[in-house]
Amino acid sequence: MSIWIKHELCSGCGACVKVCPYAAVEIIDTKACINERCTECGVCLTSCKEKAILTDVTEKTVPDFSDRKGVWVFAEQRDGILNRVTFELLGIGQLLAKELNQELSAIVLGSKIDKLIDPLAEFGAENIYIAIHPSLNDYRTIAYTSVISKLVREYKPNILLIGATHTGRDLAPRLSRRLGVGLTADCTELSIDPEHGDLLQTRPAFGGNLMATIINRYSRPQMATVRPGVMQQIKGKSPNGPRKIIKSVSLSEKEIMTRILEVVKEERQKVNLNEAKVIITGGRGVGSLEGMKKLEALADLLGGEVGGTRVAVEEGWVTVERQIGQTGQTVRPDLYFACGISGAIQHRAGILGSKYIIAINKDPMAPIFQVADWGIVGDIHEVVPLLTEKLQQR
Ligand SMILES: Cc1cc2nc3c(=O)[nH]c(=O)nc-3n(C[C@H](O)[C@H](O)[C@H](O)COP(=O)(O)OP(=O)(O)OC[C@H]3O[C@@H](n4cnc5c(N)ncnc54)[C@H](O)[C@@H]3O)c2cc1C
C-alpha cells in the first residue's frame, strides 16, 4: 500500500471518509483505516488537517518530449486501394499538425503502392513513409506491428492516428503494447491542449452516457483510433510536394508466423450508407418489417438508403450493416430522416454530421427533436406514406 494513516496523528474526524469516492476509508475504533477498495487516487491526502495520511507516491514528472515531432497517419490499403478513413485521418491530422506547427505524414505498407502517393499528398501528407515488401501486401498483425513500431522508434512521431477499421482495431492495440504507450480507441473528437500541446482525445464513455477526454502526458506517440465517417476529408497539397521516405524492410515468413491461405470475401448486401446523400432510418416505432417497407418506398423515391437503430437491427427489420450509431455506422448525409426513433445518445453519436435532420415521432418530448432541424409530431405509419405520396405528385 502506498497510502497509509499514521494513527498517532489521526483525530478520527472522518473528513477523509467523506471525500473518498471509493468508500475505501472507514473509521475503526476512532481511527481512520484504509481498506482494500483503495485505488491510491490520493484524494484523501489533502482532506486531512492533521496530516495523518501519508504516501510514498511521488508526482510523476512529464518526460521531455521535445524530440517527438509530427502527426502520423497510418494509410490503410487493401489491394492497392486506400481505405477512406485514411483521408479522414489526414483531414484531422492537418488541423492538429497546423496547431502544433509540426508536419503531417502518412505511413503506408505494401508492395504495389506507387499509385497511392498522389492521393495521400492531395489530402495533406507532407511526408510519406513507405515500407515496401511482398510480405506486407496483405495485412498481417505481426508483420505490420514489427515494421511500424521500428519506424516509430526511428522517426519518433508525436501523434499516431489509425482508423478504427477491422485492421486498425487489430493493429493499434498491438502497436501500443509494443511501443509501451497508451491508446484511446474510437475517438470522436481530437484537438490540441493549448497549454501543454498534448492531444485531447475525446470519446464516448460509460455506454455513451458521457464524453470523456483522455490525455496521454507520459508517453509518446499519442495514439488514437477514429472510426470511418467521423472526421472530414480536407484537400490540402503541400507546396513542396510530398517527401518520400522509402524504407527497406527485412521480413521473413517465419517471423510473421501467420500465412494467408485464401481470402474469402463475404457476400454482403452492398450498403453505401457512408456516401448516401439521403438516409431514412427506422427505430422501434416502425413496429415491423411491413413498417420498414414504408420507409424503403420513401428512400427509393429520394434515391436514398435505409438505416436502422440497434432496436431495428435486433428486431430483424434491417441488416446489421445498416445500423447507425455508436456501434454501427457514422453517417453524414445531406438529409437524415429519423422515423420512430427516440434519439438515444448512442444513436445520435452516428448522425450529428448530417446536414439536415428531420425527425418524425409521436412523442413531442422525444430527445431526437433536440437535434432535429425539422420535427414532425405524428405517427410514422401515417406521416411517411403521406410524405411519399406528396413527393410522388411533384
Ligand atoms: C454501448 C451501447 C451502444 C449502442 N449502440 C447503438 C447504436 O450504434 N445505434 C443505436 O441506434 N443504438 C445503440 N444503442 C442503443 C440505444 O441506447 C437505444 O436503446 C436505441 O438507439 C433506441 O432505439 P429506438 O430509438 O429505435 O427505440 P426507442 O428508444 O424505444 O424509441 C422508440 C421511439 O419511437 C417512437 N414511436 C413509437 N411508435 C411510433 C409511431 N408509430 N410513430 C412515431 N413514433 C413512434 C417513440 O415515441 C420512441 O421515441 C447502444 C446502446 C449501448 C448501451
Side-chain angles (χ1 to χ4, degrees):
M1 174 82 62
S2 349
I3 294 183
W4 65 93
I5 294 168
K6 208 168 180 187
H7 280 167
E8 310 85 278
L9 300 177
C10 177
S11 66
C13 71
C16 49
V17 177
K18 279 191 202 140
V19 295
C20 177
Y22 302 100
V25 197
E26 47 198 332
I27 303 290
I28 300 174
D29 293 338
T30 72
K31 300 287 176 196
C33 297
I34 292 176
N35 65 30
E36 69 289 347
R37 284 192 287 267
C38 177
T39 62
E40 298 172 8
C41 70
V43 167
C44 56
L45 291 166
T46 49
S47 71
C48 183
K49 286 199 192 92
E50 284 79 20
K51 304 271 178 265
I53 308 177
L54 306 173
T55 181
D56 57 8
V57 179
T58 50
E59 209 183 309
K60 246 175 148 179
T61 47
V62 179
D64 175 14
F65 290 126
S66 52
D67 61 336
R68 304 294 173 139
K69 294 256 157 53
V71 178
W72 279 24
V73 166
F74 168 62
E76 182 180 333
Q77 62 89 18
R78 184 176 291 180
D79 299 331
I81 296 167
L82 287 165
N83 189 305
R84 64 186 283 261
V85 76
T86 302
F87 302 113
E88 294 162 3
L89 293 178
L90 286 170
I92 182 69
Q94 283 185 54
L95 306 179
L96 299 174
K98 193 170 169 208
E99 191 72 31
L100 289 164
N101 200 15
Q102 296 181 1
E103 291 186 341
L104 176 63
S105 306
I107 167 165
V108 58
L109 281 59
S111 65
K112 293 173 227 128
I113 46 188
D114 285 354
K115 64 175 190 213
L116 308 184
I117 306 299
D118 283 349
L120 290 172
E122 219 167 287
F123 283 84
E126 294 164 84
N127 306 306
I128 303 177
Y129 293 87
I130 304 162
I132 300 178
H133 195 284
S135 299
L136 296 172
N137 213 18
D138 292 308
Y139 172 74
R140 280 181 289 169
T141 312
I142 294 176
Y144 270 53
T145 305
S146 158
V147 170
I148 299 174
S149 58
K150 278 183 196 144
L151 286 172
V152 166
R153 286 202 176 101
E154 186 177 347
Y155 291 97
K156 301 184 172 46
N158 181 14
I159 293 171
L160 172 58
L161 304 178
I162 295 178
T165 58
H166 290 299
T167 297
R169 282 171 198 268
D170 184 76
L171 174 67
R174 293 295 284 252
L175 268 175
S176 90
R177 179 73 185 88
R178 181 75 63 98
L179 296 164
V181 302
L183 166 69
T184 309
D186 291 344
C187 294
T188 50
E189 242 182 272
L190 293 170
S191 58
I192 301 295
D193 166 16
E195 198 181 334
H196 301 288
D198 294 322
L199 181 65
L200 303 177
Q201 305 155 80
T202 303
R203 54 151 299 152
F206 294 106
N209 288 317
L210 60 87
M211 300 302 279
T213 297
I214 294 159
I215 305 174
N216 175 0
R217 298 188 66 197
Y218 301 103
S219 59
R220 294 290 184 271
Q222 299 162 92
M223 278 186 70
T225 67
V226 179
R227 290 211 214 167
V230 172
M231 302 296 175
Q232 296 229 18
Q233 302 183 9
I234 307 172
K235 284 209 174 185
K237 214 168 185 166
S238 143
N240 310 322
R243 195 165 69 94
K244 288 188 262 174
I245 304 106
I246 299 172
K247 297 303 292 182
S248 61
V249 287
S250 63
L251 274 172
S252 72
E253 282 299 316
K254 202 169 154 218
E255 77 181 277
I256 297 174
M257 293 202 290
T258 50
R259 268 189 303 144
I260 295 176
L261 302 178
E262 192 188 356
V263 178
V264 182
K265 294 210 169 138
E266 194 183 346
E267 290 274 337
R268 277 201 171 194
Q269 207 189 334
K270 198 168 176 298
V271 185
N272 241 349
L273 290 189
N274 281 329
E275 274 145 38
K277 296 273 175 244
V278 178
I279 299 179
I280 322 281
T281 300
R284 197 190 301 274
V286 164
S288 64
L289 261 177
E290 276 311 302
M292 206 67 209
K293 296 234 159 61
K294 293 174 189 155
L295 271 55
E296 279 166 17
L298 181 58
D300 285 347
L301 191 71
L302 297 173
E305 290 283 349
V306 164
T309 62
R310 192 164 85 172
V311 172
V313 172
E314 284 166 356
E315 292 289 341
W317 304 332
V318 287
T319 53
V320 68
E321 307 88 65
R322 294 185 183 271
Q323 180 175 321
I324 293 169
Q326 187 188 321
T327 41
Q329 297 207 40
T330 304
V331 295
R332 42 176 76 245
D334 290 342
L335 196 53
Y336 186 85
F337 282 82
C339 307
I341 293 173
S342 59
I345 189 162
Q346 293 88 356
H347 184 73
R348 294 198 323 234
I351 65 168
L352 292 180
S354 308
K355 212 165 184 179
Y356 298 107
I357 298 175
I358 300 179
I360 309 167
N361 198 306
K362 64 181 184 187
D363 174 6
M365 301 308 283
I368 191 72
F369 288 127
Q370 291 164 13
V371 291
D373 297 281
W374 293 287
I376 302 172
V377 178
D379 185 333
I380 50 164
H381 302 289
E382 290 167 15
V383 176
V384 172
L386 189 66
L387 208 58
T388 312
E389 193 191 309
K390 293 281 173 209
L391 285 166
Q392 267 164 344
Q393 288 166 1
R394 290 184 66 193

